[in-house]
Amino acid sequence: MAPANDFKNYYAILGVSKTATADDIKRAYRKLARKHHPDVNPGNQEAEEKFKAINEANEVLSNPETREKYDQFGQYWKQAGEGTTPPRTGTTSQRSDQYSNFDQYSSFDDFINDLLGGSGGRTRTGRTYYRTSPQQPDDSTGFGTQAPAPDTEAAIALSLSEAFHGVQKRLQLDDETINIRIPPGAKPGSRIRIKGKGRPSSFSQQRGDLYLTINLLPHPFFQFSDNNLSCEVPIRPDEAVLGAQIQVPTPDGRVTLAVPKGVNSGQLLRLRGKGWTQPKDGRTDLIVKLQIVSPKELSTIEQDCYEKIQANTSFNPRTALEEVTL
């Protein structure tokens, strides 16, 4: 039997209160699992230990049956799972309060004897033995009830090209190598379910499912904007004034973009169907943000032309500022 100081506070590990809902526990687990996953923290032993503790806490608290045993028996909940179901007297909270101080017992047998009022077992030389109860799916407090196999959360980082085109990856999960295919169009935060590839339950040999959360590595040119892609394209002052046909990169090659006359720096143009791939709905759009860039060095003729424009222009972009006061 584990000593009292080996008790693991699963609620504290996940950073939730004892009254947390199932959704609260799920959200807390996913957030911490992404943060401490070994793939995100390669070679970090502390992060790996935290990740194991987070998985253990989630495996217990995400299942109503094991969570109730944990709430009722504290550090002795695993030992309780090996015995028969005790008689149910009073509410769950009353039983939990009555037997919350486990330090007063010298052993788990003493605790069970006190809980059962000295009955329900067979005594041999002063020690109480209990038969293992059959599985009781309708009794959430039955010690013999087996919890369902837990799901496993993991994160995988992809380049933008891998996510756009789809890719096959090989993952190492404990001692097992898993080959997976990620379809085209995976987006940041999307999740992929791989049935039967989670870690086995500590209560049975059944395996849960593996859920992979997609993280995308930064790209030097393309970014996500909702479901679309976006990029920033520089243009010259004369192209902004007179309009132009310019070449713009897209995920599957360069295309021609018509820049209208008189555009401003920061203006957005849309290339329809040139954004992110979607499995069922085709392509999204590519949003192009124009950035007017002035030349740092001018040839003699360029210098002369700009000086003539400056000397003869009637356009004043700061007219509206003349009325600005405190």
Side-chain angles (χ1 to χ4, degrees), residues 18-276:
K18 194 173 182 180
T19 59
T21 65
D23 287 340
D24 293 335
I25 292 171
K26 183 184 295 185
R27 282 192 296 268
Y29 168 71
R30 288 177 178 173
K31 179 180 179 181
L32 291 172
R34 284 194 295 268
K35 178 180 179 182
H36 298 290
H37 194 278
D39 290 347
V40 182
N41 304 273
N44 188 330
Q45 186 65 33
E46 182 180 356
E48 183 176 347
E49 293 301 321
K50 287 183 179 179
F51 183 74
K52 291 179 181 178
I54 292 164
N55 275 306
E56 180 180 340
N58 178 68
E59 184 174 343
V60 174
L61 298 185
S62 63
N63 180 268
E65 288 84 1
T66 55
R67 182 179 178 180
E68 182 167 353
K69 293 188 187 76
Y70 177 78
D71 288 343
Q72 184 177 0
F73 299 108
Q75 71 195 74
Y76 300 104
W77 73 275
K78 287 186 178 180
Q79 291 93 326
E82 299 172 357
T84 55
T85 305
R88 303 184 63 174
T89 57
T91 64
T92 301
S93 60
Q94 289 172 334
R95 293 194 305 274
S96 178
D97 292 340
Q98 182 180 1
Y99 298 104
S100 60
N101 185 13
F102 296 101
D103 293 339
Q104 62 183 299
Y105 302 101
S106 60
S107 68
F108 182 72
D109 295 321
D110 292 341
F111 163 69
I112 287 293
N113 278 329
D114 189 11
L115 179 64
L116 300 180
S119 61
R122 299 193 304 272
T123 301
R124 297 179 185 172
T125 62
R127 186 180 179 93
T128 306
Y129 295 82
Y130 297 92
R131 300 182 302 274
T132 301
S133 299
Q135 186 169 345
Q136 302 171 3
D138 295 330
D139 183 1
S140 64
T141 62
F143 291 169
T145 303
Q146 290 187 349
D151 294 330
T152 300
E153 296 278 350
I156 183 170
L158 304 179
S159 69
L160 211 66
S161 176
E162 290 174 329
F164 181 83
H165 296 289
V167 68
Q168 289 190 349
K169 287 284 188 179
R170 179 174 295 179
L171 301 180
Q172 191 71 30
L173 184 65
D174 293 334
D175 296 330
E176 182 180 9
T177 300
I178 302 174
N179 293 311
I180 64 169
R181 181 183 181 274
I182 299 175
K187 294 190 297 185
S190 58
R191 299 171 77 233
I192 297 175
R193 179 189 181 191
I194 306 173
K195 297 187 66 175
K197 292 300 182 181
R199 290 188 171 89
S201 170
S202 59
F203 302 97
S204 69
Q205 296 303 313
Q206 292 182 338
R207 297 183 64 174
D209 298 333
L210 173 63
Y211 285 90
L212 286 178
T213 299
I214 303 297
N215 295 327
L216 295 189
L217 300 173
H219 191 272
F221 184 72
F222 296 111
Q223 295 85 36
F224 266 95
S225 177
D226 296 328
N227 288 328
N228 298 313
L229 283 182
S230 65
C231 63
E232 188 172 287
V233 175
I235 60 174
R236 300 191 310 264
D238 60 288
E239 292 174 327
V241 173
L242 302 176
Q245 300 285 324
I246 64 174
Q247 293 292 302
V248 175
T250 74
D252 48 4
R254 296 161 65 87
V255 299
T256 300
L257 173 67
V259 178
K261 295 179 180 179
V263 295
N264 295 316
S265 192
Q267 188 165 331
L268 302 179
L269 300 179
R270 184 184 297 266
L271 285 171
R272 297 193 179 278
K274 294 299 181 180
W276 198 246

